[in-house]
Amino acid sequence: DRAKEKTIDKFTDYLNTQFKESNGHITRKQKFRVIKFSAFDPKGSPIYHTNVMLAVLAKHVVVCLQSIRNTWERHQVKKEIEGCGKEVIDISPKEVASFCGNVLQLEKDGKLFVVMSEQAYNGFSAENLSTLKSYYTIIKSDISTIERIGGGSARCMLAELF
């Protein structure tokens, strides 16, 4: 565990010194903080990757808070999200199983898009989908074969360039 913590600390330090927000030019350094938590599926198995249950968007964070069983960790995650000025879109374990946490925000000419699979689109609760639609243009595609065989979804198929 100590070796893992050192690796995480070094990576965070690296990000804090190297990553800069860019709008055609360097405007300011970003500050990254590590918020450690454990997340579990309904059967009690650890969730293997945060992109299954968490997606950071411009104005929101899609997250399955219920999967963070430790009350203190869940509180810390929610506090950090809200402290960044973002609204929580709390998805259920059923929504996680439909790849609702595996969405990705894109931006073009100041317009915000959220890319997701058709399964995720159909899996979001009416309230959560309505929130997304009110802030973002939704781009959805049937990638059920990839989801069924590959184990990932829309966000796993796209690369982010910063």
Side-chain angles (χ1 to χ4, degrees):
D1 279 347
R2 185 68 188 131
K4 286 181 189 176
E5 285 185 28
K6 281 186 174 183
T7 302
I8 290 169
D9 291 343
K10 284 182 180 180
F11 185 65
T12 305
D13 289 344
Y14 171 79
L15 288 175
N16 283 332
T17 57
Q18 299 298 315
F19 189 88
K20 298 179 177 101
E21 182 177 337
S22 176
N23 295 320
H25 63 284
I26 296 170
T27 55
R28 65 180 168 89
K29 286 186 177 183
Q30 292 289 95
K31 285 291 183 188
F32 291 89
R33 292 173 12 103
V34 175
I35 308 302
K36 298 175 188 174
F37 64 90
S38 297
F40 300 89
D41 69 19
K43 294 178 184 175
S45 297
I47 291 179
Y48 64 92
H49 200 293
T50 55
N51 76 1
V52 173
M53 51 76 66
L54 184 141
V56 179
L57 311 176
K59 300 172 184 184
H60 301 85
V61 174
V62 177
V63 61
C64 181
L65 292 172
Q66 186 179 341
S67 70
I68 306 170
R69 293 184 176 170
N70 180 291
T71 306
W72 185 85
E73 290 177 350
R74 183 173 50 247
H75 171 76
Q76 288 302 110
V77 168
K78 188 173 181 188
K79 179 179 158 187
E80 284 294 321
I81 292 167
E82 292 171 344
C84 292
K86 295 183 186 281
E87 182 181 331
V88 171
I89 297 177
D90 192 5
I91 60 175
S92 69
K94 184 178 177 184
E95 287 170 292
V96 170
S98 295
F99 295 103
C100 295
N102 200 266
V103 300
L104 183 70
Q105 179 197 291
L106 303 175
E107 182 179 348
K108 180 169 170 101
D109 299 327
K111 189 163 169 84
L112 300 174
F113 302 87
V114 173
V115 178
M116 65 182 68
S117 69
E118 194 169 295
Q119 181 176 337
Y121 183 87
N122 294 328
F124 271 109
S125 70
E127 180 183 354
N128 286 342
L129 188 59
S130 176
T131 299
L132 288 170
K133 285 180 166 181
S134 66
Y135 290 91
Y136 312 92
T137 300
I138 306 296
I139 300 172
K140 62 183 172 96
S141 183
D142 179 8
I143 54 173
S144 55
T145 301
I146 290 166
E147 290 173 327
R148 188 176 63 254
I149 296 171
S153 190
R155 185 162 143 197
C156 299
M157 298 169 52
L158 299 168
E160 298 176 78
L161 301 176
F162 297 98

